[in-house]
Amino acid sequence: MVLIALLYYQNEKKLYFDLAKTKMRNVVSNISSQIIFAHMSGNSLDMNQFLKTDLYQISFYDKNKKLLFGNLKDKDIDFSKNIIMQKENFILIDKSTYGHLDIYYIAIKENLFFNRLTSLQKEIVFLFFIIYFFISLIGFFLARLFLKPIKDERDRLNNFIKDTTHELNTPISAILMSSEDEENLTPKQVKRIKLAAQRISEVYKDLTFIFLENKQNLTVAKEFNLKKLIESQLKYFEALALKKRITINSELRDTFFTIDENDFIRLFNNILSNAIKYNKQKGTITILLENNTLTIKDSGIGIEKSKLKDIFNRYYRATDFSGGFGIGLNIVQNICEKYKIKIDINSELDIGSCFTLKF
């Protein structure tokens, strides 16, 4: 029982800390974005607005770590650390302003975390005496059966949220910066907005598929000419390929297959977007459709042989070369299993990858 209480306390303590840290990162990220945007747009920024909260104390520092503005009273701050733990609170150091408005460091102090821990301790002691007789026999089994899966799921969820936020931040920032002067948009800015919007659309569609994958009533399978579906999607990827000066060669023959249209688009788009994302500048992509077989071959960075067996696992990423959060190929595998499509992969580092699908 004591072991369970300690495990529960440590688990909840880490959860509280993760939540508090995440909220602080969101606050300071929002402040940093406003500072960067104000500097790049030449607008003034009222710094007092960031101090009107009872939850945090915030201060801003210059390149030499001298206080510029703020209400954080701590003087001896170690700016080499990201998190500074103290007796009754902790301080988070952020460096994402990169000198905009002469601000190089933001320090934010949280005041509620340790109060929550004290309340948690009292709750645990109270509950300990109430439910002791009910869980003494099953506590050991609950600890083994539930605590580890909950911790693993929480870690996966935290990583997923972090990667998703990062994946969406880049296109959203591109849209905001490119549309700053909306009355005088240049063709280059319009192109950036289009590419960013396409990326957000891809992320949204992937997330929709993942969270609705078990709702079979949403899919309507009928016979399609895969050649026409591929040709329509190739137009969608022209701008993305042009950005990296990638040449897409295609040789397509009429191929009919019974499948939900959106499922095939998800299948094809995830493979092709990876071929573009992990390709080299001025690389090539070859797409062949004949004899009920679709082949997509690229001249990209390739995948290590030892990692090929794991690339279809959800949230697994074989490389940190580019963005993404490891659900694209998991979607591909789910669709292939659903329609009994055989998929083979051949890949060599620095040479490229070849995906073959047999319908």
Side-chain angles (χ1 to χ4, degrees), residues 40-205:
M40 296 183 67
S41 60
N43 297 327
S44 60
L45 185 63
D46 180 14
M47 303 297 289
N48 285 310
Q49 63 177 307
F50 303 131
L51 308 181
K52 297 177 181 179
T53 173
D54 296 329
L55 299 178
Y56 307 107
Q57 296 176 21
I58 305 172
S59 289
F60 305 86
Y61 301 84
D62 63 12
K63 185 176 183 179
N64 297 317
K65 304 177 181 63
K66 294 183 63 177
L67 178 65
L68 296 174
F69 184 80
N71 55 10
L72 186 61
K73 298 179 181 179
D74 299 66
K75 295 182 179 180
D76 299 323
I77 296 177
D78 186 356
F79 290 91
S80 65
K81 297 181 179 179
N82 294 324
I83 298 290
I84 301 172
M85 299 300 300
Q86 298 179 333
K87 289 184 178 180
E88 297 183 355
N89 47 54
F90 67 96
I91 299 174
L92 185 145
I93 306 297
D94 182 80
K95 308 170 187 176
S96 64
T97 53
Y98 301 107
H100 290 277
L101 297 183
D102 293 325
I103 297 173
Y104 283 81
Y105 302 93
I106 301 177
I108 179 170
K109 183 176 181 180
E110 198 270 353
N111 298 316
L112 299 178
F113 173 64
F114 286 90
N115 291 335
R116 290 177 180 173
L117 288 186
T118 301
S119 299
L120 177 63
Q121 291 169 355
K122 293 179 180 178
E123 291 174 4
I124 291 176
V125 171
F126 179 73
L127 292 174
F128 180 86
F129 291 103
I130 293 179
I131 63 175
Y132 175 82
F133 293 103
F134 294 96
I135 66 171
S136 58
L137 297 178
I138 62 173
F140 175 74
F141 299 100
L142 286 176
R144 292 186 59 184
L145 292 175
F146 296 113
L147 290 182
K148 186 179 184 304
I150 290 173
K151 177 181 179 299
D152 293 342
E153 189 63 28
R154 187 197 67 229
D155 291 341
R156 285 196 295 268
L157 181 59
N158 285 340
N159 290 331
F160 178 76
I161 293 173
K162 179 183 69 176
D163 292 338
T164 305
T165 303
H166 173 75
E167 191 73 7
L168 290 173
N169 180 63
T170 299
I172 290 173
S173 299
I175 291 175
L176 291 174
M177 294 181 64
S178 299
S179 60
E180 184 178 333
D181 186 7
E182 58 186 49
E183 295 181 358
N184 300 295
L185 290 178
T186 65
K188 186 175 183 180
Q189 288 174 317
V190 173
K191 183 178 178 181
R192 287 177 180 171
I193 292 174
K194 182 178 178 182
L195 289 172
Q198 288 175 347
R199 182 56 194 150
I200 293 174
S201 176
E202 286 297 310
V203 173
Y204 170 78
K205 290 176 182 177

